[in-house]
Amino acid sequence: MSLASLLDPDRRWMQMALKEAERAYEAGEVPVGAVVVQGGAVVGRGHNQVERLADPTAHAEMLAVSAACQTLGTKNLAGCTLYVTLEPCPMCAGALVWARLDRLVFGAFDEKAGAASTLFDIPQDRRLNHQVETVSGVEADAAADLLRAFFRARRPAPDGRGGA
């Protein structure tokens, strides 16, 4: 762990989320990882398991939030921060509002489905009953590199024989 990450807790926790994303990558899932932190301790973690569970809701954020709720014995995650390697989609961003998280910290932006600043800004939408403070771009390069490597490996090669 670098000195910079020791001095910046958001980077330290995001590096833990990146480890979860690596677990997803190794399992053949889109490499997104998440951790929920409260008071300096991880209370929930998750990585994408959409394929393994055959469940379109098995996103890293949803699994981490569910685990945190179970750990804390509540549906209200006030006082918690979610660290996720990719900007949440509309489903996940909505769940963060309903769970009343204090903060969202994400890495890479999602140009196709991002709902925390790119296409929508659900966590900050004043029309909703709760707003989630959002910090973007933490360890964005590492998160984006992992996603690029995953999709590059699955893209057909020019000769049609699979990824490189």
Side-chain angles (χ1 to χ4, degrees):
M1 191 176 296
S2 71
L3 178 59
S5 67
L6 289 173
L7 298 176
D8 181 350
D10 284 347
R11 288 186 63 199
R12 187 178 93 218
W13 296 119
M14 185 62 74
Q15 288 171 359
M16 189 173 287
L18 283 163
K19 296 268 189 237
E20 286 293 321
E22 290 168 3
R23 291 181 67 198
Y25 185 99
E26 291 164 6
E29 299 275 356
V30 175
V32 178
V35 295
V36 177
V37 175
Q38 182 188 57
V42 173
V43 294
R45 66 179 67 229
H47 58 273
N48 275 359
Q49 295 188 53
V50 171
E51 301 303 325
R52 185 176 83 76
L53 299 176
D55 180 353
T57 69
H59 289 196
E61 302 95 309
M62 301 295 280
L63 297 173
V65 164
S66 290
C69 289
Q70 186 171 14
T71 297
L72 299 173
T74 182
K75 65 178 183 175
N76 185 330
L77 296 180
C80 294
T81 299
L82 173 78
Y83 294 89
V84 61
T85 58
L86 181 65
E87 180 181 2
C89 72
M91 172 184 67
C92 294
L96 305 183
V97 171
W98 289 119
R100 297 186 161 292
L101 267 97
D102 283 359
R103 294 179 72 227
L104 160 66
V105 179
F106 72 86
F109 290 88
D110 186 343
E111 300 296 323
K112 294 182 179 177
S117 69
T118 302
L119 299 178
F120 308 101
D121 194 358
I122 292 171
Q124 289 292 300
D125 193 322
R126 293 277 175 209
R127 296 171 295 179
L128 300 174
N129 67 336
H130 177 74
Q131 287 75 49
V132 180
E133 176 189 342
T134 303
V135 177
S136 60
V138 176
E139 297 290 343
D141 290 341
D145 287 348
L146 190 57
L147 286 159
R148 273 192 293 273
F150 176 82
F151 287 111
R152 188 178 310 120
R154 279 144 184 80
R155 189 176 308 129
D159 63 9
R161 291 190 297 159

